[in-house]
Amino acid sequence: MITKDKVIEIFCIIDEFDKNLHAELAKNLQLPSHDGKGKHYRNRKGRLSESEIMTILVCYHFGTYRNFKEYYLNCIRGQLRQEFPDAVSYNRFVELMPRVFFKMMMFMKLYAFGRCSGISFVDSTMIPVCHNVRRYFNKVFKGLAKDGKGTMGWCHGFKLHLLCNDCGEVITFCLTGANVDDRNERVWSVFTRVLYGKVFADRGYIKKELFEHLFGQGIHLVHGLKAKMKNKLMPMWDKILIRKRYIIECINELLKNKANLVHSRHRSIHNFMMNICSALTAYCFFDNKPEALPVHIEKTRQLELFA
């Protein structure tokens, strides 16, 4: 269960970011006070600040509650009512959630995400929006959710492509339909903007054209071999690091089982996107992020030099 000290810590970080962002926007942008026809715009502050809304959304993904309504009514308006004395009703809060989408994206990109260290891991996970039996009756994601097949079977929804470094920090992500291949050019065009060095993947990323395209940009794609493929010599360093793919797999498990990334109760596309962004943001505050042991890696490098 998330503690009050953790909630205060998260709020202070988000509020500091929000104040700095507001100061920069006020310095570089001049927002109009009227529409030119004599009608003035109102800029009245709400009961809940945007920092409080973002904090409430992030704290939900610490795995205490499986239902957001129960979390908001019992935790925010119950146990944490002193920390959020001006909390609005649940229905009103759901209406306010899309307002902080862009600030949440900027905070996630500038603060929550890590940087590429030259050793990266890539993987994808399915995000179903409903049961396969009800895929023809889903109206919220009609025309957006797709049918795709993964390692766990068929799924109706989306696919989340993740890229992380050796410290267990998410570098960037890409959300596509469930039928999009992991080797899609558009997905890797997003990854190559922040990627360099070596990237380790599973056998689902085997493609000669993809390897050559990335190698031409200075990126070395390392993956396993299928049963009928010709065996190629691989450095001991790469063999050991490819076993460290448990880092990205543990991230997917934490996002799904603890951060409530997947559920089939979305009633709007905006709140679906807010759920993904707030879950990825909450992950950066987790204390049990997986990472490769630096001492073990240093010993491995020494063994490789002596080999």
Side-chain angles (χ1 to χ4, degrees), residues 1 12 57 62 82 85 87 135-136 157 162 177 200 208-209 214 217 236 239 250 254 256 258 268 276 279 298:
M1 182 178 178
C12 292
L57 292 172
F62 277 77
Q82 295 181 354
R135 64 184 182 273
Y136 297 112
L162 282 178
F200 296 86
K208 183 179 179 181
E209 293 79 5
L214 294 177
Q217 301 184 29
M236 181 63 67
K239 286 185 178 179
C250 290
L254 286 173
K256 283 190 170 183
K258 183 178 179 180
S268 68
I276 294 178
E298 185 63 30

Side-chain angles (χ1 to χ4, degrees), residues 122-126 149-151 159-162 174 176-189 191 201-207 210 214 221 245:
V122 63
D123 199 4
S124 62
T125 182
M126 292 290 188
K149 188 176 183 181
T151 56
K159 182 184 288 188
L160 181 66
H161 306 264
L162 282 178
C174 182
T176 63
N179 58 348
V180 175
D181 188 29
D182 294 340
R183 302 162 293 185
N184 188 275
E185 295 181 359
R186 293 184 178 181
V187 175
W188 282 96
S189 64
F191 289 165
D202 57 13
R203 289 174 288 186
Y205 290 84
I206 297 177
K207 188 178 181 181
L210 176 63
L214 294 177
L221 178 63
R245 283 198 65 258

Side-chain angles (χ1 to χ4, degrees), residues 129-186:
V129 296
C130 66
H131 195 274
N132 290 332
V133 178
R134 301 193 300 271
R135 64 184 182 273
Y136 297 112
F137 307 100
N138 188 282
K139 297 181 180 180
V140 177
F141 300 96
K142 186 177 181 180
L144 296 176
K146 304 296 182 181
D147 294 332
K149 188 176 183 181
T151 56
M152 303 302 294
W154 286 94
C155 164
H156 180 74
F158 302 90
K159 182 184 288 188
L160 181 66
H161 306 264
L162 282 178
L163 186 71
C164 76
N165 56 21
D166 56 339
C167 297
E169 299 173 336
V170 177
I171 302 175
T172 186
F173 75 100
C174 182
L175 185 67
T176 63
N179 58 348
V180 175
D181 188 29
D182 294 340
R183 302 162 293 185
N184 188 275
E185 295 181 359
R186 293 184 178 181

Side-chain angles (χ1 to χ4, degrees), residues 58-278:
V58 170
C59 293
Y60 164 65
H61 296 280
F62 277 77
T64 307
Y65 294 88
R66 302 296 296 180
N67 184 286
F68 185 80
K69 184 175 183 179
E70 181 184 1
Y71 156 78
Y72 188 81
L73 296 178
N74 295 342
C75 184
I76 300 302
R77 303 195 66 182
Q79 302 173 8
L80 300 177
R81 60 182 178 272
Q82 295 181 354
E83 283 70 21
F84 301 98
D86 297 326
V88 296
S89 65
Y90 170 75
N91 294 334
R92 179 56 181 166
F93 185 83
V94 173
E95 296 175 354
L96 295 176
M97 285 169 56
R99 293 189 178 184
V100 297
F101 174 74
F102 291 105
K103 283 192 176 181
M104 183 72 78
M105 287 287 292
M106 295 183 66
F107 178 79
M108 177 181 62
K109 183 64 178 177
L110 299 177
Y111 180 84
F113 284 176
R115 299 292 182 267
C116 182
S117 61
I119 300 176
S120 307
F121 303 91
V122 63
D123 199 4
S124 62
T125 182
M126 292 290 188
I127 304 180
V129 296
C130 66
H131 195 274
N132 290 332
V133 178
R134 301 193 300 271
R135 64 184 182 273
Y136 297 112
F137 307 100
N138 188 282
K139 297 181 180 180
V140 177
F141 300 96
K142 186 177 181 180
L144 296 176
K146 304 296 182 181
D147 294 332
K149 188 176 183 181
T151 56
M152 303 302 294
W154 286 94
C155 164
H156 180 74
F158 302 90
K159 182 184 288 188
L160 181 66
H161 306 264
L162 282 178
L163 186 71
C164 76
N165 56 21
D166 56 339
C167 297
E169 299 173 336
V170 177
I171 302 175
T172 186
F173 75 100
C174 182
L175 185 67
T176 63
N179 58 348
V180 175
D181 188 29
D182 294 340
R183 302 162 293 185
N184 188 275
E185 295 181 359
R186 293 184 178 181
V187 175
W188 282 96
S189 64
V190 176
F191 289 165
T192 51
R193 297 173 185 174
V194 296
L195 189 61
Y196 68 90
K198 293 187 176 183
V199 54
F200 296 86
D202 57 13
R203 289 174 288 186
Y205 290 84
I206 297 177
K207 188 178 181 181
K208 183 179 179 181
E209 293 79 5
L210 176 63
F211 177 85
E212 294 176 351
H213 176 69
L214 294 177
F215 197 79
Q217 301 184 29
I219 302 172
H220 185 194
L221 178 63
V222 183
H223 52 70
L225 299 176
K226 293 184 179 180
K228 296 183 180 180
M229 292 180 63
K230 293 183 179 179
N231 191 14
K232 295 183 179 180
L233 294 177
M234 184 182 297
M236 181 63 67
W237 173 244
D238 292 346
K239 286 185 178 179
I240 294 177
L241 278 181
I242 202 170
R243 297 178 182 177
K244 300 294 181 180
R245 283 198 65 258
Y246 69 84
I247 295 177
I248 189 72
E249 294 172 356
C250 290
I251 292 176
N252 289 332
E253 183 181 0
L254 286 173
L255 290 175
K256 283 190 170 183
N257 297 333
K258 183 178 179 180
N260 300 332
L261 179 68
V262 178
H263 67 79
S264 59
R265 297 177 296 275
H266 295 291
R267 295 298 176 263
S268 68
I269 301 174
H270 303 91
N271 292 344
F272 167 74
M273 294 301 301
M274 283 302 309
N275 184 72
I276 294 178
C277 294
S278 55

Side-chain angles (χ1 to χ4, degrees), residues 33-44:
S33 59
H34 57 85
D35 59 356
K37 298 180 181 180
K39 183 178 179 181
H40 292 267
Y41 293 114
R42 300 179 64 184
N43 193 20
R44 185 177 62 183

